[in-house]
Amino acid sequence: MTFSFIKNIAIFGILSLASAVAVSAQDMRPALNLESAKKIIAACEVMAGEKGWRLNIAVYDQGKNLLAFSRMDGAQLGSIDIAMWKANAASAFPRSTKGTADRAQEFPAIGHAPNIAIFEGGEAIFTSDGVHIGGVGASGARGSEDAECARAGIEAAGLRFSR
């Protein structure tokens, strides 16, 4: 083996190690998991049942992926999509859908974005440290009642609906 060959192998090894250290040194972002999504839905179902609301409830992670969904007995079929739009909006933006509706007053184009609800009933999900990790959407009652149920579910999972 030549010195040049050994030197190239050593340089390659050092660069590979430096690259691996840089990747592993990156902070990992918290993620919403299925267990928490199920807790959110279960608590919202309990509250809705006690109040006589028949809701559709969707929970999305921060990447706008559906994690869990529930259609309570008697919930309106038309509210399925609305619950999903609310959850999508709350996972896309770190605020409630009511907050997004307020922003749409200044920037009306927000109201024309696909699959984004601009009415109450969607709540962003945050960790205790204030990291946005997803959104929940409830639909089938009044908007304020949908939002109340979504917030109760988030709190029951040990998470927050505001930073």
Side-chain angles (χ1 to χ4, degrees):
M1 280 198 220
T2 68
F3 178 72
S4 165
F5 178 75
I6 293 172
K7 179 178 148 187
N8 287 340
I9 294 293
I11 290 172
F12 177 76
I14 290 170
L15 291 175
S16 295
L17 180 60
S19 159
V21 169
V23 170
S24 65
Q26 180 177 334
D27 292 334
M28 297 304 295
R29 178 180 178 76
L32 184 63
N33 60 30
L34 180 60
E35 180 183 347
S36 293
K38 287 180 178 181
K39 286 178 184 177
I40 291 167
I41 285 182
C44 188
E45 286 177 333
V46 167
M47 173 185 262
E50 290 171 354
K51 298 201 178 222
W53 305 333
R54 295 180 304 258
L55 302 180
N56 290 291
I57 309 152
V59 179
Y60 280 44
D61 66 16
Q62 206 266 334
K64 301 189 311 177
N65 301 299
L66 179 65
L67 275 180
F69 180 83
S70 173
R71 178 174 174 259
M72 296 176 67
D73 291 341
Q76 300 174 44
L77 293 175
S79 291
I80 293 171
D81 288 337
I82 294 170
M84 290 181 168
W85 295 338
K86 289 177 180 183
N88 183 67
S91 68
F93 304 114
R95 60 181 162 266
S96 68
T97 52
K98 184 177 185 320
T100 301
D102 294 343
R103 291 280 289 161
Q105 297 298 316
E106 281 182 65
F107 305 102
I110 291 173
H112 300 286
N115 302 320
I116 299 293
I118 57 166
F119 35 91
E120 200 167 5
E123 295 290 334
I125 304 169
F126 298 92
T127 65
S128 59
D129 296 333
V131 178
H132 180 225
I133 58 171
V136 58
S139 184
R142 291 188 177 113
S144 61
E145 295 166 341
D146 293 342
E148 180 184 353
C149 199
R151 289 190 298 267
I154 291 167
E155 288 180 330
L159 299 165
R160 296 175 29 191
F161 54 87
S162 66
R163 287 188 199 257

Short mmCIF file of all heavy atoms in Angstrom, two decimals, residues 20 78 101-102 124:
data_model
loop_
_atom_site.label_atom_id
_atom_site.label_comp_id
_atom_site.label_asym_id
_atom_site.label_seq_id
_atom_site.Cartn_x
_atom_site.Cartn_y
_atom_site.Cartn_z
N ALA A 20 -21.14 12.17 10.49
CA ALA A 20 -22.02 11.44 11.40
C ALA A 20 -22.25 12.22 12.69
O ALA A 20 -23.35 12.25 13.22
CB ALA A 20 -21.43 10.06 11.71
N GLY A 78 -71.41 15.00 6.86
CA GLY A 78 -70.78 16.19 6.31
C GLY A 78 -69.72 16.79 7.21
O GLY A 78 -68.84 17.52 6.75
N ALA A 101 -58.99 32.17 11.31
CA ALA A 101 -60.11 32.97 10.80
C ALA A 101 -59.86 34.46 11.05
O ALA A 101 -60.12 35.29 10.19
CB ALA A 101 -61.42 32.53 11.44
N ASP A 102 -59.34 34.77 12.24
CA ASP A 102 -59.01 36.16 12.54
C ASP A 102 -57.94 36.69 11.59
O ASP A 102 -58.02 37.82 11.11
CB ASP A 102 -58.55 36.30 14.00
CG ASP A 102 -59.65 36.00 15.00
OD1 ASP A 102 -60.85 35.98 14.62
OD2 ASP A 102 -59.32 35.76 16.18
N ALA A 124 -54.55 23.86 17.81
CA ALA A 124 -53.17 23.40 17.68
C ALA A 124 -52.77 22.64 18.94
O ALA A 124 -53.29 22.91 20.02
CB ALA A 124 -52.25 24.59 17.45
#
